[in-house]
Amino acid sequence: MLALWPAPVVVLAGPPGSGKTHLAQIWQAHAHAVAIAPDSIGEHIGGLGASPALIDDIDKLPIDEQGLFHLINTVRGAGSTLLLTARRFPSAWRVVLPDLISRLKAAATIEIHEPDDLLLAGVITKLFADRQVEVEPHVVQYLVRRIERSLATAMRVVERLDRAALERKTPITRALAAETVSAMDEGQGEFDI
């Protein structure tokens, strides 16, 4: 798997709920990578050796620019790899250290897009199936047209619809889906996002 790695430093960018962390965890297991918290980069540089490294959600907190710069140099010098996951591309991270900006421009950036209608419908259907809940295709299509286009939102909607149907002892209908999506949009009580 590492032989197919595109560059010493790779940034996997995409919106919340797009699967970045899941993909990073799979890579971490296969590569035997060391997970480094974004706020403690400097503490891991000395003991890293030639081990691959992973920093999930690098852009969630203010970036330790000096630490990241030295980590990138360490990884490159050891002939190893570094995977960074982020919501945005490095150019949007507001990095000011010129040498780090240069290193990040040389990183391979891979973007995960929001799911299209077909993928989102498949995900919603699978999420219901995982809960052993049958839902009519027209209800799934209604959800695809009405919810935010993210996997995280799909998971929340399915969980809330399943809970509402269980509480009411009714099947999941288009009307229940409309009520649930409307409540989520309005941020009402138990449906608060």
Side-chain angles (χ1 to χ4, degrees):
M1 180 174 194
L2 293 179
L4 301 175
W5 204 243
V9 179
V10 174
V11 177
L12 183 59
S18 62
K20 299 180 305 290
T21 297
H22 179 69
L23 290 172
Q25 289 170 343
I26 292 170
W27 176 80
Q28 180 185 4
H30 285 282
H32 305 291
V34 175
I36 299 173
D39 57 352
S40 63
I41 296 171
E43 298 169 20
H44 291 84
I45 295 172
L48 191 61
S51 296
L54 163 66
I55 301 177
D56 194 21
D57 286 329
I58 185 76
D59 63 340
K60 196 171 190 177
L61 301 170
I63 295 172
D64 172 6
E65 294 187 29
Q66 287 289 335
L68 185 55
F69 172 73
H70 291 299
L71 177 62
I72 290 171
N73 286 342
T74 299
V75 165
R76 291 176 69 179
S80 190
T81 53
L82 171 63
L83 175 60
L84 306 168
T85 69
R87 290 167 289 158
R88 298 163 295 168
F89 289 116
S91 59
W93 294 356
R94 299 182 187 186
V95 171
V96 295
L97 187 65
D99 289 335
L100 180 57
I101 292 169
S102 171
R103 299 296 188 280
L104 290 172
K105 284 181 180 177
T109 303
I110 301 167
E111 183 177 13
I112 297 178
H113 298 279
E114 295 286 2
D116 61 14
D117 287 357
L118 187 60
L119 177 58
L120 190 57
V123 166
I124 291 170
T125 301
K126 181 177 182 334
L127 290 170
F128 279 122
D130 289 348
R131 293 172 169 269
Q132 299 178 345
V133 175
E134 285 190 39
V135 178
E136 296 291 326
H138 71 277
V139 175
V140 172
Q141 287 306 311
Y142 174 84
L143 292 171
V144 166
R145 290 189 306 273
R146 301 292 189 299
I147 68 171
E148 174 187 306
R149 189 159 299 282
S150 77
L151 301 178
T153 299
M155 290 186 281
R156 285 193 300 271
V157 166
V158 166
E159 187 274 326
R160 289 180 176 135
L161 274 170
D162 186 28
R163 184 176 52 192
L166 286 171
E167 288 171 358
R168 296 177 187 189
K169 296 179 174 65
T170 63
I172 296 174
T173 62
R174 186 190 169 287
L176 182 59
E179 181 182 328
T180 301
V181 169
S182 177
M184 287 178 70
D185 287 346
E186 295 169 11
Q188 293 177 354
E190 66 181 292
F191 296 113
D192 191 31
I193 296 177

